[in-house]
Amino acid sequence: MGEIFVLAEHRQGELRDVTFEMLGKGQELAAAMDEPLTAVLLGHSVDGFATELAKQASQVLVVEDERLEHFNSAAHQQVLAHLITGRKPSLVLIGHSACGMDLAPSLATQLDLPLVTDCVGLEFDDGQLFAVREMYGGKVSARVAFSQADVYMATVRQAAFPFEEGELLSGEIIAVDSPLTEEIKSKRFIEYVEAAVGEVDISQADVVVAVGRGIKEEDNMSLVERLAEALGGVLAGSRPVVDAGWLPPDRQVGQSGRTVKPKLYLAVGISGASQHVVGMRASSTIVAINKDPDAPIFKVAHYGIVDDLLKVVPALTEQLGG
Amino acid sequence: MEIVVCVKHVPDTTETEIAIRADERAIEKRGLVFDINEADNYAIEEALLLKEEFGGSITVLTVGLAEADETLRMCLAKGVDKAVRLTDEVFEGSDSYATARILSEAIRDMDYDLVLTGVQADDDGCAQVGVTLAEMLGIPHAALVVSTEVEDGRMKVHRELEGGLHEVLEIELPALFTIQTGINEPRYASIFGIRKAMRKEIETLDLGALGLAEEAVGEAGSKTSLIKLFIPVVTAQATMLEGSPEEVSSELVTIFKNEGVV
């Protein structure tokens, strides 16, 4: 056994939430195993982050290098491989984020380590690590074992573990020399591109009517448009509707789109994949209409209706005087 | 441009009731409708668009049983040049790592500039095979790609980050990209294309043909194992409204009024 590594994720001058969620979970696992929790911070001019992380970890390893200013999986992989090989942690936690999905599988393969991705649960049982993850869009859960190894790796679903600030620690900040020797030419970061903002900002609306794959055809979109109008709300959607081009990208609710927390969120024909739920779960009242009684959206809904949206939506619109 | 696309034949479970098999290690697949994995369909389209612009050929690969030929034939019908199915009974039970190992042995000796996969499979949702495969092949990669542009022996790609943000990268070829849904508009196969694809041969390669050892595949070659599947309870929290569309609508209107939203 050994320390638990948590890779601190940051972008555009901010530590991302998943970092603290992993540190929270990491503290629990580290306490159970009586091992230290180590935050691993790679970046350029990140002293402020190191101080912040030291409040949540037993120690913070900092690798400072201007080549680590922006995330680049190739550079991060080299540095992490160096740290893992040298320190042999028992477990490495990385976010199941755009960064982690680009990094963890190749890092695990290089080091020949077992990796379980998108974990929503992690526990040590008699010294062996088990993960819980979801399959089939959240309709099935799976308990997964890692093959026996000195170091395990897991990517952790964003927003799966709540972060509650507990007792503040004062972890030691340890600077580690960067093992990078030259510029990485095969993969180069160029720039960030911000999403275009359309005429409607769905994150500011009090009522959001969101439509998903269950709408089936573009011709049916007018049904939900009328409902949104009758409720004085805005129309938004989940990924499949935006992918199909039936709504512009700035109307997408979810991890890769907008996060909304209206007074009322009406999910129409949305199955409730985790990437969607993370963008709307903070809404005050959530109503879901879906003909599939097993749809994961009912896990976060306050009110649910199992029926065909093509019947319920027009009836509701009429009763609202639309 | 020589392009290899890896696809998976998966069950559509979006509006279907799922049952878990008695051994608790897989779902009951009988009666489910199978199709190409959604993100892989976008990867095929991206390959077709690149081929239309730059020429070359496309090879589609899958690891699977004979029923996966249906997905391979649909790819051929759309304009993919060659289809190969990697198949052996000892491949059964392979996790993402072992699956990537099988694919890597098939691709290693091919002549390619680009390997495409979908970001993740709709069934297991691991998002792991593509980036693992890139490492095994020793080529650079980018995950979650939402736009591609060819630039003089390199490619410029956009990766989808969180909150609507994109990251622009330059990558040397050969490279592997995992393709995100929405990157393009996948075409439908023409009747002519479907007829032509019926007559095309699908090559199959087994363990021996790939030069793999039995310990490198299946459960033996995997680094993770499914212990047990279970169906999570979804309706524990929600108040479920029942009745005709008119009845549930009237209940909803009352709820909206009580919550002060109308």
Side-chain angles (χ1 to χ4, degrees), chain A:
Chain A
M1 287 287 143
E3 64 197 317
I4 293 180
F5 269 15
V6 167
L7 177 64
E9 194 175 311
H10 56 91
R11 181 181 298 146
Q12 294 181 309
E14 278 183 38
L15 283 165
R16 300 196 63 244
D17 289 349
V18 69
T19 305
F20 295 99
E21 293 155 16
M22 288 191 288
L23 287 168
K25 183 67 189 173
Q27 276 190 16
E28 179 196 315
L29 291 168
M33 290 158 45
D34 201 17
E35 292 288 351
L37 175 65
T38 305
V40 178
L41 174 62
L42 318 184
H44 179 51
S45 304
V46 286
D47 290 353
F49 293 162
T51 313
E52 218 177 315
L53 293 167
K55 295 174 187 163
Q56 311 293 338
S58 335
Q59 50 198 350
V60 185
L61 299 182
V62 185
V63 180
E64 154 72 41
D65 191 317
E66 61 183 16
R67 287 164 288 201
L68 298 169
E69 181 175 2
H70 301 290
F71 174 78
N72 177 341
S73 73
H76 274 62
Q77 184 173 330
Q78 273 191 35
V79 176
L80 285 168
H82 172 79
L83 293 174
I84 293 168
T85 308
R87 295 180 66 109
K88 292 260 180 288
S90 54
L91 173 62
V92 179
L93 298 180
I94 296 176
H96 192 72
S97 57
C99 291
M101 289 161 83
D102 203 39
L103 166 70
S106 49
L107 174 62
T109 304
Q110 179 191 341
L111 299 176
D112 200 25
L113 303 178
L115 164 69
V116 178
T117 58
D118 200 17
C119 298
V120 298
L122 280 167
E123 58 170 357
F124 277 98
D125 192 349
D126 207 11
Q128 217 202 322
L129 184 64
F130 293 91
V132 175
R133 60 189 308 284
E134 293 181 352
M135 296 172 69
Y136 299 98
K139 290 172 91 169
V140 175
S141 295
R143 185 171 159 89
V144 182
F146 297 67
S147 64
Q148 203 62 48
D150 294 336
V151 183
Y152 298 118
M153 275 182 67
T155 65
V156 173
R157 173 173 292 180
Q158 302 186 81
F161 297 107
F163 172 67
E164 285 153 33
E165 192 149 30
E167 195 189 334
L168 294 186
L169 307 173
S170 47
E172 188 188 355
I173 296 174
I174 304 163
V176 179
D177 287 341
S178 172
L180 295 178
T181 48
E182 52 194 40
E183 196 69 43
I184 291 168
K185 294 201 185 81
S186 61
K187 184 173 188 178
R188 291 199 312 128
F189 172 88
I190 307 293
E191 61 177 337
Y192 291 114
V193 180
E194 301 277 352
V197 180
E199 73 236 50
V200 177
D201 184 354
I202 58 169
S203 65
Q204 298 302 313
D206 281 340
V207 176
V208 175
V209 175
V211 58
R213 198 190 292 273
I215 195 76
K216 300 276 192 231
E217 289 171 31
E218 190 169 15
D219 286 349
N220 295 332
M221 290 294 286
S222 60
L223 294 177
V224 281
E225 271 164 30
R226 280 200 289 273
L227 176 57
E229 211 172 291
L231 278 164
V234 300
L235 186 61
S238 62
R239 171 156 217 133
V241 173
V242 174
D243 283 349
W246 300 345
L247 280 176
D250 61 349
R251 300 284 183 117
Q252 185 178 327
V253 174
Q255 198 159 285
S256 55
R258 297 299 174 92
T259 298
V260 300
K261 32 186 168 183
K263 285 190 197 156
L264 171 65
Y265 190 86
L266 189 51
V268 180
I270 288 178
S271 67
S274 65
Q275 295 90 337
H276 178 77
V277 167
V278 77
M280 48 65 80
R281 63 202 273 168
S283 307
S284 314
T285 300
I286 299 170
V287 177
I289 304 171
N290 201 304
K291 70 177 177 191
D292 179 1
D294 300 323
I297 191 73
F298 292 123
K299 265 194 273 193
V300 291
H302 302 100
Y303 299 97
I305 295 167
V306 178
D307 204 343
D308 185 354
L309 72 90
L310 300 179
K311 293 187 185 130
V312 178
V313 168
L316 180 57
T317 307
E318 198 187 314
Q319 294 200 19
L320 288 162

